[in-house]
Amino acid sequence: MINLEGVRVKVPASTANLGPGFDTLGMALSLFAWLELKPAPKTVFRLYGEEMKGVAKDKSNLIYEVAQKVFDEAGVSVPELEISMASEIPLARGLGSSASAIVGALYAANELIGAPLSAEKLFEMATALEKHPDNVGASLFGGIISAVWDGSSANHVRIEPPADLEVLVAIPSFQLSTAKARQVLPDRITMEDAVFNVSRASLLTGALAAGRLDLIAAAMRDRMHQPYRAPLIPGMERILEEATDHGALGAALSGAGPTLLALTERGAGRRDELAAFLQNVLADHGISAKMLWLSPSTEGVRKLLPEEKIPFAAESLV
Ligand code: HSE
């Protein structure tokens, strides 16, 4: 039943809070983490890449703890594990690094013991750990996820991303924890702002499902979290206001930030202009940022094929 050879999985990053979809609309992105779990005589860790620096290498490690939750749920005992992980997803930047770690660990642990738990069960466990369903749903199922969490059960619909959708992310060099970015949010919003968001979230979900890229500009507006978080990300307000003047279909804070995201139509041109606009506005506020062009990842977490390698060299071991 337990696969002694181990299991290797690849899991995408994600953006949450897509436009007006606070805590509900997520999308998987073509930036990845890789994880291998293997039963072992004693728990050991092999962590590769800059993004893994500082990650715990004992049984308080998130991957270890999450894997044990799967084994407990399934009534199986695998107390000692060899855990290898490599990631290109930057930490605490709003690109779902913790969600991808949780989803990778849940999926790999479940596969290791013959997959007794359903994908829906894994989604529920992931959401209970992460508290919001949008990042974990996207990393688990890929594509665009519209999801609801009521505190005990999670529901979702997966939307195939429009084929021409491209994503520019500006990843600031500083980290911002979700906890800190949540502290600045108000306890209550007005009926007017609630209607503002719910109408645009509905329009955006429908537009993405129907491939109506022309509606994204009107739909990608938010009054629930971005205005309150603006002081934490200097330059954000101008980027959100003016990105469409520089070729974006729309722009948003990615998750709780600080990464900013602009959606574009592949082949529509003005890529350099848009990237320069984002970079220059952030630089005007003294913020350096890494610019990456990504695609929506239509694939969620999956097992690696035997011929696929975890793409990190031994020298990047941290
Ligand atoms: N939706 C969360 C927030 C971040 O904006 O606080 C993603 O989990």
Side-chain angles (χ1 to χ4, degrees), residues 7-23:
V7 170
R8 301 179 309 143
V9 305
K10 178 182 182 185
V11 56
S14 58
T15 184
N17 300 339
L18 198 55
F22 181 68
D23 276 358

Side-chain angles (χ1 to χ4, degrees), residues 16-17 22-23 132 135 178 182 229 256:
N17 300 339
F22 181 68
D23 276 358
H132 323 109
N135 284 116
T178 299
R182 253 184 131 81
R229 288 172 165 169

Side-chain angles (χ1 to χ4, degrees), residues 111-176:
E111 291 293 322
L112 194 69
I113 55 171
L117 307 184
S118 68
E120 289 304 326
K121 179 69 192 169
L122 297 183
F123 180 39
E124 221 158 78
M125 290 174 74
T127 307
L129 287 162
E130 186 71 3
K131 306 290 183 236
H132 323 109
D134 37 356
N135 284 116
V136 290
S139 281
L140 191 55
F141 301 114
I144 295 165
I145 296 295
S146 170
V148 170
W149 167 246
D150 68 5
S152 59
S153 66
N155 289 296
H156 82 284
V157 171
R158 181 189 179 285
I159 297 166
E160 193 63 25
D164 290 336
L165 198 62
E166 238 187 336
V167 184
L168 172 66
V169 288
I171 309 171
S173 51
F174 68 91
Q175 298 190 337
L176 176 58

